Amino acid sequence: MKVAIIKYNAGNIQSVLFALERIGIQATVTDNTEEIRTADKIIFPGVGEASTAMHYLRERKLDQLIVSLKQPVLGICLGMQLLCSHSEEGDTNCLSVFEKISVKKFISVNNKFKIPQIGWNTVSNLQSKLFTKVAENSYCYFVHSYYAEESKLSIAKTNYIQPYSSALTHNNFYGVQFHPEKSAAVGEQILKNFLDL
Amino acid sequence: MLTKRIIPCLDINNGRTVKGTNFVQLRDAGNPIELAMRYCEEGADELVFLDITATTEKRKTLATLVREIATHINIPFTVGGGINAIEDVSFLLENGADKISVNTSAVNNPELVNQLAANFGTQCIVVAIDTKIINGNWTVVTHGGRNPTSFKAIDWAKEITDRGAGEILLTSMENDGTKTGFAIDITKEISTAVSIPVIASGGAGTMEHFKDVFKMGNADAALAASIFHFREIPIHELKKYLQEQSIPVRL
Protein backbone atom coordinates (compact mmCIF):
# COMPACT_ATOMS: atom_id res chain seq x y z
CA MET A 1 0.00 0.00 0.00
CA LYS A 2 1.24 3.47 -0.93
CA VAL A 3 0.74 6.02 1.83
CA ALA A 4 1.57 9.68 1.23
CA ILE A 5 2.02 12.27 3.95
CA ILE A 6 1.46 15.74 2.54
CA LYS A 7 4.55 17.86 3.13
CA TYR A 8 3.99 21.50 3.91
CA ASN A 9 5.21 24.07 6.39
CA ALA A 10 3.72 22.38 9.43
CA GLY A 11 5.51 20.50 12.15
CA ASN A 12 5.14 16.96 13.51
CA ILE A 13 5.39 15.21 10.15
CA GLN A 14 8.20 13.02 11.51
CA SER A 15 5.98 11.79 14.35
CA VAL A 16 3.39 10.58 11.85
CA LEU A 17 6.06 8.87 9.77
CA PHE A 18 7.49 7.07 12.82
CA ALA A 19 4.02 6.03 14.02
CA LEU A 20 3.29 4.44 10.65
CA GLU A 21 6.68 2.68 10.75
CA ARG A 22 5.71 1.18 14.11
CA ILE A 23 2.68 -0.45 12.48
CA GLY A 24 4.79 -1.63 9.54
CA ILE A 25 4.04 1.02 6.90
CA GLN A 26 6.76 2.93 5.08
CA ALA A 27 5.06 6.19 4.06
CA THR A 28 6.39 8.91 1.76
CA VAL A 29 6.52 12.54 2.84
CA THR A 30 5.89 14.55 -0.32
CA ASP A 31 4.48 17.72 -1.88
CA ASN A 32 4.67 16.20 -5.36
CA THR A 33 1.22 16.36 -7.01
CA GLU A 34 1.55 13.10 -8.92
CA GLU A 35 2.85 11.18 -5.93
CA ILE A 36 -0.03 12.41 -3.79
CA ARG A 37 -2.65 11.79 -6.47
CA THR A 38 -1.56 8.18 -7.00
CA ALA A 39 -1.26 7.21 -3.32
CA ASP A 40 -3.75 4.71 -1.83
CA LYS A 41 -4.08 6.64 1.43
CA ILE A 42 -3.19 10.22 2.23
CA ILE A 43 -2.40 11.80 5.57
CA PHE A 44 -2.69 15.56 5.93
CA PRO A 45 -0.92 16.32 9.22
CA GLY A 46 -0.24 19.62 10.82
CA VAL A 47 0.74 21.61 13.78
CA GLY A 48 1.01 25.31 13.15
CA GLU A 49 -0.97 28.42 12.35
CA ALA A 50 -4.01 28.28 10.03
CA SER A 51 -3.55 31.38 7.83
CA THR A 52 0.17 30.71 7.24
CA ALA A 53 -0.55 27.09 6.38
CA MET A 54 -3.42 27.98 3.97
CA HIS A 55 -1.24 30.61 2.29
CA TYR A 56 1.49 28.02 1.78
CA LEU A 57 -0.97 25.45 0.37
CA ARG A 58 -2.52 28.00 -2.04
CA GLU A 59 0.88 29.17 -3.30
CA ARG A 60 1.71 25.60 -4.31
CA LYS A 61 -1.84 24.81 -5.53
CA LEU A 62 -1.98 22.01 -2.96
CA ASP A 63 -5.38 23.40 -1.90
CA GLN A 64 -6.95 22.43 -5.24
CA LEU A 65 -5.22 19.07 -5.18
CA ILE A 66 -6.44 18.19 -1.68
CA VAL A 67 -10.12 18.92 -2.35
CA SER A 68 -10.00 16.87 -5.58
CA LEU A 69 -8.70 13.69 -3.91
CA LYS A 70 -10.90 10.58 -4.16
CA GLN A 71 -8.97 8.14 -1.94
CA PRO A 72 -9.22 8.17 1.88
CA VAL A 73 -7.64 11.31 3.34
CA LEU A 74 -6.97 11.78 7.06
CA GLY A 75 -6.46 15.30 8.40
CA ILE A 76 -4.77 15.48 11.78
CA CYS A 77 -5.09 18.45 14.18
CA LEU A 78 -4.48 21.59 12.06
CA GLY A 79 -4.94 19.30 9.02
CA MET A 80 -8.50 18.58 10.21
CA GLN A 81 -9.17 22.26 10.90
CA LEU A 82 -7.98 23.25 7.42
CA LEU A 83 -10.53 20.82 5.93
CA CYS A 84 -13.30 22.88 7.60
CA SER A 85 -14.79 26.01 6.01
CA HIS A 86 -13.37 28.75 8.19
CA SER A 87 -11.02 29.20 11.14
CA GLU A 88 -11.00 32.05 13.61
CA GLU A 89 -7.24 31.64 13.72
CA GLY A 90 -6.07 34.49 11.49
CA ASP A 91 -9.70 34.79 10.17
CA THR A 92 -8.85 32.16 7.56
CA ASN A 93 -11.00 30.73 4.79
CA CYS A 94 -10.13 27.04 4.66
CA LEU A 95 -10.73 24.16 2.22
CA SER A 96 -14.49 23.65 2.91
CA VAL A 97 -14.39 19.88 2.53
CA PHE A 98 -16.28 19.84 5.83
CA GLU A 99 -18.78 22.45 4.66
CA LYS A 100 -20.21 25.11 6.94
CA ILE A 101 -18.05 24.02 9.84
CA SER A 102 -16.31 26.79 11.71
CA VAL A 103 -13.20 26.42 13.80
CA LYS A 104 -13.35 28.60 16.90
CA LYS A 105 -10.98 29.62 19.65
CA PHE A 106 -11.37 28.18 23.13
CA ILE A 107 -12.29 30.93 25.56
CA SER A 108 -11.53 30.43 29.24
CA VAL A 109 -12.63 32.58 32.13
CA ASN A 110 -10.07 33.29 34.91
CA ASN A 111 -7.62 30.64 33.65
CA LYS A 112 -10.02 27.96 34.93
CA PHE A 113 -9.31 26.01 31.77
CA LYS A 114 -5.81 26.28 30.34
CA ILE A 115 -5.34 27.14 26.68
CA PRO A 116 -3.97 25.33 24.72
CA GLN A 117 -5.71 22.18 25.88
CA ILE A 118 -2.71 19.90 26.34
CA GLY A 119 -3.05 16.28 27.35
CA TRP A 120 -5.27 13.20 27.31
CA ASN A 121 -9.02 13.57 26.95
CA THR A 122 -11.80 11.14 26.07
CA VAL A 123 -13.49 10.60 22.72
CA SER A 124 -17.14 9.51 22.73
CA ASN A 125 -20.17 9.09 20.41
CA LEU A 126 -17.84 7.19 18.09
CA GLN A 127 -19.63 6.69 14.78
CA SER A 128 -17.27 5.56 12.06
CA LYS A 129 -15.16 2.67 10.82
CA LEU A 130 -12.26 4.86 11.81
CA PHE A 131 -13.05 3.82 15.40
CA THR A 132 -13.41 0.06 14.89
CA LYS A 133 -12.17 -1.73 18.05
CA VAL A 134 -11.85 1.62 19.85
CA ALA A 135 -13.90 1.72 23.07
CA GLU A 136 -16.21 4.63 23.92
CA ASN A 137 -14.43 7.13 26.15
CA SER A 138 -10.96 6.01 25.11
CA TYR A 139 -8.20 8.53 25.81
CA CYS A 140 -6.45 10.39 23.01
CA TYR A 141 -3.73 13.04 23.13
CA PHE A 142 -4.77 16.61 22.28
CA VAL A 143 -2.80 19.84 21.83
CA HIS A 144 -4.91 22.72 20.50
CA SER A 145 -6.34 26.18 21.12
CA TYR A 146 -9.05 26.03 18.41
CA TYR A 147 -11.88 23.53 18.01
CA ALA A 148 -14.44 22.48 15.41
CA GLU A 149 -18.02 23.09 16.52
CA GLU A 150 -20.45 20.19 16.82
CA SER A 151 -22.27 19.22 13.62
CA LYS A 152 -23.86 16.35 11.74
CA LEU A 153 -20.45 15.53 10.26
CA SER A 154 -19.15 14.70 13.77
CA ILE A 155 -17.99 11.12 14.28
CA ALA A 156 -16.51 11.73 17.74
CA LYS A 157 -17.10 14.22 20.51
CA THR A 158 -14.87 15.55 23.25
CA ASN A 159 -15.59 17.92 26.10
CA TYR A 160 -13.27 20.80 26.98
CA ILE A 161 -14.96 23.99 28.21
CA GLN A 162 -17.85 22.80 25.99
CA PRO A 163 -18.56 19.74 23.81
CA TYR A 164 -16.97 19.90 20.35
CA SER A 165 -16.21 17.65 17.37
CA SER A 166 -13.00 15.73 17.90
CA ALA A 167 -13.46 13.86 14.60
CA LEU A 168 -15.34 14.61 11.38
CA THR A 169 -16.06 12.82 8.13
CA HIS A 170 -17.47 13.62 4.72
CA ASN A 171 -17.24 11.15 1.79
CA ASN A 172 -13.60 10.00 1.59
CA PHE A 173 -12.34 12.69 3.99
CA TYR A 174 -11.69 12.12 7.70
CA GLY A 175 -10.35 14.52 10.27
CA VAL A 176 -9.25 14.06 13.87
CA GLN A 177 -8.42 16.86 16.29
CA PHE A 178 -6.25 14.64 18.49
CA HIS A 179 -2.89 13.13 17.54
CA PRO A 180 -3.33 9.40 16.78
CA GLU A 181 0.44 9.23 16.18
CA LYS A 182 0.95 10.14 19.86
CA SER A 183 -2.07 8.43 21.42
CA ALA A 184 -0.44 5.15 22.47
CA ALA A 185 -2.29 1.90 21.56
CA VAL A 186 -5.61 3.67 20.89
CA GLY A 187 -3.93 5.93 18.34
CA GLU A 188 -2.25 3.01 16.62
CA GLN A 189 -5.61 1.28 16.28
CA ILE A 190 -7.11 4.40 14.68
CA LEU A 191 -4.22 4.66 12.21
CA LYS A 192 -4.63 0.96 11.36
CA ASN A 193 -8.37 1.50 10.86
CA PHE A 194 -7.67 4.37 8.49
CA LEU A 195 -5.26 2.25 6.46
CA ASP A 196 -7.94 -0.51 6.31
CA LEU A 197 -10.63 1.81 4.90
CA MET B 1 -12.55 15.24 30.78
CA LEU B 2 -8.97 16.40 30.38
CA THR B 3 -6.79 14.37 32.74
CA LYS B 4 -3.87 15.38 34.94
CA ARG B 5 -0.60 14.18 33.45
CA ILE B 6 2.16 12.11 35.09
CA ILE B 7 5.50 12.80 33.43
CA PRO B 8 8.70 10.88 34.15
CA CYS B 9 11.82 12.95 33.47
CA LEU B 10 15.02 11.39 32.16
CA ASP B 11 18.22 13.38 32.70
CA ILE B 12 20.63 12.29 30.00
CA ASN B 13 24.41 12.43 30.33
CA ASN B 14 26.58 10.88 27.61
CA GLY B 15 23.73 8.70 26.41
CA ARG B 16 22.77 7.32 29.86
CA THR B 17 19.99 8.27 32.24
CA VAL B 18 21.38 9.84 35.41
CA LYS B 19 19.90 11.30 38.54
CA GLY B 20 21.37 13.69 41.06
CA THR B 21 20.19 15.55 44.14
CA ASN B 22 19.79 19.30 43.68
CA PHE B 23 21.34 18.88 40.22
CA VAL B 24 24.62 17.40 41.55
CA GLN B 25 25.92 13.96 42.65
CA LEU B 26 24.93 12.05 39.52
CA ARG B 27 24.13 8.36 39.70
CA ASP B 28 23.41 6.01 36.81
CA ALA B 29 19.77 5.09 36.17
CA GLY B 30 20.03 3.04 33.00
CA ASN B 31 19.49 3.08 29.25
CA PRO B 32 17.11 5.91 28.31
CA ILE B 33 15.37 4.02 25.49
CA GLU B 34 14.64 0.99 27.67
CA LEU B 35 13.44 3.24 30.46
CA ALA B 36 11.26 5.26 28.08
CA MET B 37 9.64 2.11 26.71
CA ARG B 38 9.02 0.82 30.22
CA TYR B 39 7.28 4.11 31.10
CA CYS B 40 5.05 3.90 28.01
CA GLU B 41 3.91 0.43 29.11
CA GLU B 42 3.35 1.59 32.67
CA GLY B 43 1.01 4.37 31.54
CA ALA B 44 3.14 7.53 31.62
CA ASP B 45 1.33 10.37 29.86
CA GLU B 46 4.38 12.09 28.41
CA LEU B 47 8.14 11.98 28.80
CA VAL B 48 10.74 14.71 29.25
CA PHE B 49 14.39 14.21 28.27
CA LEU B 50 16.86 16.75 29.58
CA ASP B 51 20.31 16.54 28.05
CA ILE B 52 22.91 17.62 30.56
CA THR B 53 25.90 16.59 28.46
CA ALA B 54 28.30 19.38 27.56
CA THR B 55 30.51 18.18 24.75
CA THR B 56 31.13 19.38 21.21
CA GLU B 57 29.68 16.16 19.82
CA LYS B 58 26.54 16.83 21.79
CA ARG B 59 24.20 17.94 19.02
CA LYS B 60 24.79 14.85 16.89
CA THR B 61 24.56 12.44 19.81
CA LEU B 62 21.36 14.04 21.02
CA ALA B 63 19.77 13.91 17.56
CA THR B 64 20.54 10.20 17.29
CA LEU B 65 19.02 9.58 20.70
CA VAL B 66 15.92 11.67 19.90
CA ARG B 67 15.40 9.77 16.66
CA GLU B 68 15.67 6.47 18.48
CA ILE B 69 13.18 7.58 21.14
CA ALA B 70 10.76 8.80 18.47
CA THR B 71 11.00 5.47 16.64
CA HIS B 72 10.20 3.47 19.76
CA ILE B 73 7.65 5.36 21.81
CA ASN B 74 4.03 6.22 21.05
CA ILE B 75 3.39 9.05 23.53
CA PRO B 76 4.56 12.68 23.32
CA PHE B 77 7.99 13.71 24.51
CA THR B 78 9.84 16.94 25.19
CA VAL B 79 13.56 17.47 24.75
CA GLY B 80 15.56 20.13 26.57
CA GLY B 81 19.13 21.07 27.33
CA GLY B 82 21.37 23.65 25.69
CA ILE B 83 18.84 24.90 23.13
CA ASN B 84 19.93 28.40 22.08
CA ALA B 85 18.60 29.00 18.59
CA ILE B 86 15.92 28.29 15.99
CA GLU B 87 18.27 25.84 14.23
CA ASP B 88 18.61 23.75 17.41
CA VAL B 89 14.83 23.40 17.55
CA SER B 90 14.41 22.57 13.84
CA PHE B 91 17.05 19.89 14.26
CA LEU B 92 15.28 18.26 17.23
CA LEU B 93 11.79 18.45 15.69
CA GLU B 94 13.10 16.97 12.42
CA ASN B 95 14.41 14.05 14.44
CA GLY B 96 11.01 13.43 16.00
CA ALA B 97 10.76 15.49 19.20
CA ASP B 98 7.23 16.76 19.87
CA LYS B 99 8.15 19.70 22.07
CA ILE B 100 11.32 21.41 23.15
CA SER B 101 12.17 23.04 26.45
CA VAL B 102 14.31 26.14 26.97
CA ASN B 103 15.56 27.50 30.26
CA THR B 104 18.78 29.53 30.66
CA SER B 105 18.79 30.62 27.01
CA ALA B 106 15.33 32.18 27.45
CA VAL B 107 16.44 34.03 30.59
CA ASN B 108 19.50 35.38 28.74
CA ASN B 109 17.49 36.24 25.64
CA PRO B 110 13.71 36.43 26.30
CA GLU B 111 13.09 37.33 22.64
CA LEU B 112 14.04 33.71 21.85
CA VAL B 113 10.65 32.59 23.22
CA ASN B 114 8.83 34.87 20.74
CA GLN B 115 10.99 33.63 17.87
CA LEU B 116 10.46 29.98 18.69
CA ALA B 117 6.70 30.41 19.13
CA ALA B 118 6.45 32.27 15.82
CA ASN B 119 8.46 29.63 13.98
CA PHE B 120 7.18 26.42 15.48
CA GLY B 121 3.90 27.32 17.20
CA THR B 122 3.15 27.89 20.85
CA GLN B 123 2.20 24.25 21.42
CA CYS B 124 5.74 22.92 21.11
CA ILE B 125 7.54 25.51 23.23
CA VAL B 126 7.94 24.59 26.91
CA VAL B 127 9.74 27.14 29.07
CA ALA B 128 11.42 25.62 32.11
CA ILE B 129 11.68 27.83 35.18
CA ASP B 130 14.03 26.82 37.99
CA THR B 131 13.25 28.75 41.12
CA LYS B 132 14.34 29.06 44.73
CA ILE B 133 13.62 31.40 47.61
CA ILE B 134 16.11 34.28 47.78
CA ASN B 135 15.49 37.05 50.33
CA GLY B 136 11.96 35.76 50.82
CA ASN B 137 11.04 35.78 47.11
CA TRP B 138 10.68 32.88 44.70
CA THR B 139 13.45 33.89 42.30
CA VAL B 140 14.43 32.50 38.90
CA VAL B 141 17.80 30.71 38.99
CA THR B 142 19.85 29.29 36.12
CA HIS B 143 22.71 26.85 35.52
CA GLY B 144 21.21 24.15 37.68
CA GLY B 145 20.43 26.55 40.49
CA ARG B 146 23.89 28.06 40.85
CA ASN B 147 23.14 31.46 39.34
CA PRO B 148 20.41 33.69 40.76
CA THR B 149 18.74 36.20 38.41
CA SER B 150 16.90 39.44 39.07
CA PHE B 151 13.55 37.95 37.98
CA LYS B 152 10.77 36.93 40.34
CA ALA B 153 9.36 33.56 39.23
CA ILE B 154 5.78 34.88 39.04
CA ASP B 155 6.76 37.84 36.82
CA TRP B 156 8.88 35.67 34.56
CA ALA B 157 6.03 33.14 34.21
CA LYS B 158 3.65 35.89 33.09
CA GLU B 159 6.23 37.33 30.71
CA ILE B 160 6.98 34.07 28.91
CA THR B 161 3.24 33.36 28.64
CA ASP B 162 2.83 36.72 26.87
CA ARG B 163 5.83 35.92 24.68
CA GLY B 164 4.19 32.73 23.40
CA ALA B 165 5.27 29.83 25.62
CA GLY B 166 2.85 26.90 25.43
CA GLU B 167 3.62 25.37 28.81
CA ILE B 168 5.67 26.05 31.93
CA LEU B 169 7.85 23.41 33.56
CA LEU B 170 8.28 24.76 37.07
CA THR B 171 11.04 23.25 39.22
CA SER B 172 11.51 24.26 42.83
CA MET B 173 15.21 24.00 43.66
CA GLU B 174 14.21 24.12 47.32
CA ASN B 175 12.40 20.81 46.92
CA ASP B 176 14.24 19.04 44.09
CA GLY B 177 15.70 15.73 45.21
CA THR B 178 14.41 16.07 48.78
CA LYS B 179 11.33 13.79 48.45
CA THR B 180 9.48 16.07 50.86
CA GLY B 181 6.77 17.11 48.41
CA PHE B 182 6.27 19.68 45.64
CA ALA B 183 6.40 23.44 46.30
CA ILE B 184 2.63 23.90 46.52
CA ASP B 185 2.59 27.66 47.12
CA ILE B 186 4.59 28.85 44.11
CA THR B 187 2.99 26.22 41.85
CA LYS B 188 -0.46 27.47 42.80
CA GLU B 189 0.51 31.11 42.51
CA ILE B 190 1.86 30.67 38.98
CA SER B 191 -0.79 28.22 37.78
CA THR B 192 -3.64 30.52 38.75
CA ALA B 193 -1.89 33.59 37.29
CA VAL B 194 -1.20 32.28 33.77
CA SER B 195 -3.44 30.91 31.00
CA ILE B 196 -1.10 28.08 29.95
CA PRO B 197 -0.58 24.67 31.61
CA VAL B 198 1.94 24.32 34.44
CA ILE B 199 3.98 21.16 35.03
CA ALA B 200 5.11 20.93 38.66
CA SER B 201 8.54 19.47 39.33
CA GLY B 202 10.85 18.87 42.25
CA GLY B 203 10.27 17.09 45.54
CA ALA B 204 7.99 14.12 44.76
CA GLY B 205 8.49 11.37 47.32
CA THR B 206 5.05 9.85 47.98
CA MET B 207 1.74 9.41 46.15
CA GLU B 208 0.18 11.99 48.50
CA HIS B 209 2.61 14.58 47.18
CA PHE B 210 1.08 14.18 43.71
CA LYS B 211 -2.45 14.46 45.09
CA ASP B 212 -1.48 17.66 46.94
CA VAL B 213 0.14 19.34 43.94
CA PHE B 214 -2.93 18.62 41.79
CA LYS B 215 -5.56 19.48 44.40
CA MET B 216 -3.87 22.31 46.27
CA GLY B 217 -1.18 23.43 43.83
CA ASN B 218 -3.52 23.57 40.83
CA ALA B 219 -0.87 21.86 38.67
CA ASP B 220 -1.87 20.53 35.24
CA ALA B 221 0.86 17.89 35.27
CA ALA B 222 3.48 16.57 37.67
CA LEU B 223 7.00 15.49 36.82
CA ALA B 224 9.40 13.28 38.75
CA ALA B 225 12.52 11.25 38.07
CA SER B 226 14.20 8.96 40.60
CA ILE B 227 11.06 7.67 42.30
CA PHE B 228 9.99 6.33 38.89
CA HIS B 229 13.45 5.21 37.71
CA PHE B 230 14.07 3.14 40.83
CA ARG B 231 10.44 1.88 41.01
CA GLU B 232 9.76 3.48 44.38
CA ILE B 233 6.35 4.53 43.04
CA PRO B 234 4.97 2.47 40.13
CA ILE B 235 3.15 4.80 37.71
CA HIS B 236 0.08 2.59 37.38
CA GLU B 237 -0.39 2.40 41.15
CA LEU B 238 0.07 6.15 41.44
CA LYS B 239 -2.65 6.73 38.85
CA LYS B 240 -5.05 4.31 40.55
CA TYR B 241 -4.45 6.13 43.82
CA LEU B 242 -5.11 9.52 42.19
CA GLN B 243 -8.34 8.23 40.65
CA GLU B 244 -9.50 7.12 44.12
CA GLN B 245 -8.81 10.69 45.25
CA SER B 246 -11.20 11.94 42.49
CA ILE B 247 -8.37 13.31 40.36
CA PRO B 248 -8.97 12.62 36.65
CA VAL B 249 -6.22 10.44 35.20
CA ARG B 250 -5.82 8.24 32.12
CA LEU B 251 -5.97 4.59 33.18
Side-chain angles (χ1 to χ4, degrees), chain B residues 13-209:
Chain B
N13 188 26
N14 296 320
R16 297 285 290 179
T17 316
V18 292
K19 183 59 198 172
T21 303
N22 296 96
F23 283 54
V24 290
Q25 294 172 338
L26 301 178
R27 62 173 168 152
D28 193 89
N31 176 319
I33 309 289
E34 284 170 18
L35 204 50
M37 290 174 71
R38 192 187 100 198
Y39 288 142
C40 286
E41 282 163 29
E42 290 176 359
D45 295 307
E46 277 185 45
L47 299 172
V48 169
F49 296 85
L50 293 180
D51 183 55
I52 58 173
T53 322
T55 66
T56 44
E57 280 296 289
K58 185 180 157 175
R59 221 168 96 120
K60 247 192 333 205
T61 325
L62 183 60
T64 312
L65 179 68
V66 168
R67 184 166 275 266
E68 205 169 330
I69 297 161
T71 313
H72 286 91
I73 74 163
N74 58 12
I75 59 171
F77 69 98
T78 303
V79 179
I83 294 168
N84 290 304
I86 287 177
E87 302 79 66
D88 298 335
V89 176
S90 299
F91 199 58
L92 292 170
L93 296 181
E94 279 163 20
N95 281 286
D98 296 293
K99 309 185 216 180
I100 60 89
S101 151
V102 288
N103 188 341
T104 305
S105 56
V107 173
N108 292 340
N109 172 23
E111 191 62 30
L112 179 67
V113 179
N114 303 61
Q115 290 169 359
L116 296 180
N119 274 274
F120 306 103
T122 284
Q123 77 294 325
C124 75
I125 311 302
V126 180
V127 178
I129 302 178
D130 292 343
T131 182
K132 70 192 217 187
I133 300 172
I134 298 174
N135 298 328
N137 291 316
W138 282 102
T139 306
V140 178
V141 293
T142 61
H143 299 89
R146 289 190 300 276
N147 297 2
T149 70
S150 56
F151 298 128
K152 277 190 195 172
I154 182 74
D155 297 336
W156 179 232
K158 287 179 187 166
E159 180 175 339
I160 53 144
T161 303
D162 293 341
R163 287 179 180 277
E167 252 179 317
I168 291 170
L169 168 53
L170 180 70
T171 303
S172 162
M173 303 304 296
E174 303 287 341
N175 305 56
D176 193 56
T178 63
K179 298 191 180 178
T180 54
F182 295 91
I184 304 292
D185 56 344
I186 187 63
T187 304
K188 183 174 183 181
E189 191 183 350
I190 289 180
S191 188
T192 42
V194 299
S195 55
I196 60 177
V198 173
I199 306 165
S201 157
T206 67
M207 299 203 279
E208 287 76 14
H209 293 154

Side-chain angles (χ1 to χ4, degrees), chain B residues 230-249:
Chain B
F230 301 111
R231 297 180 196 266
E232 290 161 36
I233 298 181
I235 291 172
H236 191 71
E237 261 177 56
L238 170 62
K239 290 178 117 182
K240 275 201 294 198
Y241 164 81
L242 292 172
Q243 191 178 50
E244 285 161 15
Q245 306 298 317
S246 313
I247 293 167
V249 288

Side-chain angles (χ1 to χ4, degrees), chain A residues 70-85:
Chain A
K70 299 291 175 228
Q71 59 276 68
V73 177
L74 178 65
I76 297 176
C77 194
L78 180 65
M80 181 209 84
Q81 296 183 356
L82 296 179
L83 291 171
C84 296
S85 51

Side-chain angles (χ1 to χ4, degrees), chain A residues 22 47 114 120-121 141 182, chain B residues 1 45-46 70 98 123 191:
Chain A
R22 282 194 293 273
V47 166
K114 300 301 180 72
W120 298 80
N121 202 336
Y141 189 83
K182 286 287 156 183
Chain B
M1 188 180 217
D45 295 307
E46 277 185 45
D98 296 293
Q123 77 294 325
S191 188

Side-chain angles (χ1 to χ4, degrees), chain A residues 26-116:
Chain A
Q26 193 60 56
T28 314
V29 178
T30 179
D31 57 2
N32 179 288
T33 309
E34 213 34 52
E35 239 179 325
I36 296 171
R37 205 183 286 287
T38 56
D40 301 302
K41 298 278 170 12
I42 293 158
I43 295 183
F44 181 36
V47 166
E49 198 273 328
S51 66
T52 317
M54 273 309 298
H55 183 74
Y56 184 96
L57 293 173
R58 285 197 186 102
E59 260 187 356
R60 287 157 185 78
K61 300 205 160 45
L62 286 169
D63 58 331
Q64 295 166 25
L65 171 68
I66 292 168
V67 299
S68 73
L69 294 169
K70 299 291 175 228
Q71 59 276 68
V73 177
L74 178 65
I76 297 176
C77 194
L78 180 65
M80 181 209 84
Q81 296 183 356
L82 296 179
L83 291 171
C84 296
S85 51
H86 179 266
S87 173
E88 283 185 358
E89 190 176 23
D91 189 15
T92 306
N93 286 321
C94 302
L95 297 166
S96 281
V97 166
F98 303 137
E99 274 184 280
K100 293 180 189 160
I101 303 211
S102 295
V103 175
K104 299 183 167 167
K105 192 172 197 326
F106 281 129
I107 293 173
S108 173
V109 179
N110 298 331
N111 301 330
K112 184 165 180 273
F113 289 90
K114 300 301 180 72
I115 298 168

